[in-house]
Amino acid sequence: GESVGLHLPTLSVQEGDNSIINCAYSNSASDYFIWYKQESGKGPQFIIDIRSNMDKRQGQRVTVLLNKTVKHLSLQIAATQPGDSAVYFCAETTNDYKLSFGAGTTVTVRA
Amino acid sequence: NAGVTQTPKFQVLKTGQSMTLQCAQDMNHNSMYWYRQDPGMGLRLIYYSASEGTTDKGEVPNGYNVSRLNKREFSLRLESAAPSQTSVYFCASSEALPASSYNSPLHFGNGTRLTVT
């Protein structure tokens, strides 16, 4: 079936190191992918998106990689900071109107 | 910019009571959505409105109704609340539906935390 999942529910990272958050998806027809960050008590915040005709896209301190061959999406955060501690969700379009979200990865930054 | 504003932030209802969750966006977006978030289940779509004047069911619409009041506002109504509707409710908006011809990420509000006893 259609599902979006994250490989690991938790990730602990040393401040200043790079973080890599992984996501596997099952719908080979998915065309659009988004990463969100959710801090405690807040709504999901858009980080970066990528279309299926691309394999890499960079933002400010973040890079999203898309490997359609193995249906894998990753979010790389450079020089992780304490403010990066949050739950990260990947989402994919499964049809015209719907984004399917994974259960999330909780990132904890150690000082 | 305020972005997406939801009211109330918190609400406690007794089983069988009704209430309306309000949502407004100031980004001139065409599409609006209601999601619920439960522990370990991610976000699930309840209803959406592709454009002003239209509403459609998502994956978990039972027990809910919606109204797209105008381009800015999209409300969610619980007619007879049940404990299974205890959740955090998020409203979101986007320029167009996510699979449209240009990138259109959803922008979320900060949620309404609803408890039904």
Side-chain angles (χ1 to χ4, degrees):
Chain A
E2 300 171 358
S3 66
V4 177
L6 290 161
H7 289 311
L8 293 173
T10 62
L11 179 67
S12 180
V13 182
Q14 185 69 39
E15 182 179 356
D17 286 353
N18 296 335
S19 302
I20 299 176
I21 307 165
N22 294 306
C23 180
Y25 64 94
S26 60
N27 185 356
S28 57
S30 292
D31 178 63
Y32 180 45
F33 304 86
I34 311 176
W35 279 101
Y36 285 93
K37 171 186 179 182
Q38 187 174 24
E39 296 173 276
S40 181
K42 296 187 177 180
Q45 178 186 358
F46 169 75
I47 302 173
I48 192 168
D49 56 4
I50 189 167
R51 283 275 174 193
S52 60
N53 60 354
M54 302 173 70
D55 52 21
K56 180 179 180 179
R57 193 169 186 214
Q58 288 185 292
Q60 188 176 10
R61 277 200 312 118
V62 295
T63 301
V64 56
L65 298 176
L66 177 62
N67 185 331
K68 294 180 286 294
T69 302
V70 295
K71 291 185 282 190
H72 182 268
L73 188 71
S74 68
L75 178 71
Q76 300 177 2
I77 305 173
T80 309
Q81 302 169 358
D84 294 326
S85 291
V87 180
Y88 289 81
F89 295 92
C90 63
E92 63 171 328
T93 51
T94 50
N95 55 36
D96 284 347
Y97 62 86
K98 183 167 171 277
L99 280 180
S100 288
F101 289 82
T105 290
T106 300
V107 173
T108 303
V109 180
R110 305 189 306 273
Chain B
N1 285 339
V4 178
T5 303
Q6 293 183 236
T7 56
K9 289 183 169 54
F10 300 93
Q11 184 70 49
V12 179
L13 292 177
K14 292 188 186 328
T15 297
Q17 288 184 317
S18 62
M19 79 160 295
T20 300
L21 282 62
Q22 307 287 352
C23 174
Q25 52 92 9
D26 63 2
M27 295 174 282
N28 201 35
H29 284 168
N30 291 301
S31 303
M32 298 186 73
Y33 315 79
W34 277 103
Y35 281 84
R36 60 178 287 174
Q37 185 174 38
D38 301 294
M41 299 190 74
L43 287 135
R44 293 182 292 168
L45 182 65
I46 305 171
Y47 270 93
Y48 71 101
S49 171
S51 60
E52 187 178 356
T54 69
T55 61
D56 285 286
K57 295 177 181 179
E59 59 181 309
V60 288
N62 290 345
Y64 306 96
N65 285 299
V66 291
S67 295
R68 183 74 182 266
L69 304 169
N70 46 56
K71 191 173 185 179
R72 290 186 65 245
E73 298 174 286
F74 188 38
S75 63
L76 178 72
R77 182 160 179 84
L78 286 70
E79 290 291 352
S80 179
S84 61
Q85 295 178 305
T86 294
S87 188
V88 182
Y89 291 85
F90 288 101
C91 178
S93 70
S94 61
E95 284 193 51
L97 292 177
S100 60
S101 60
Y102 55 94
N103 293 351
S104 187
L106 274 62
H107 297 267
F108 287 82
N110 282 328
T112 294
R113 283 143 187 84
L114 176 67
T115 301
V116 183
T117 61

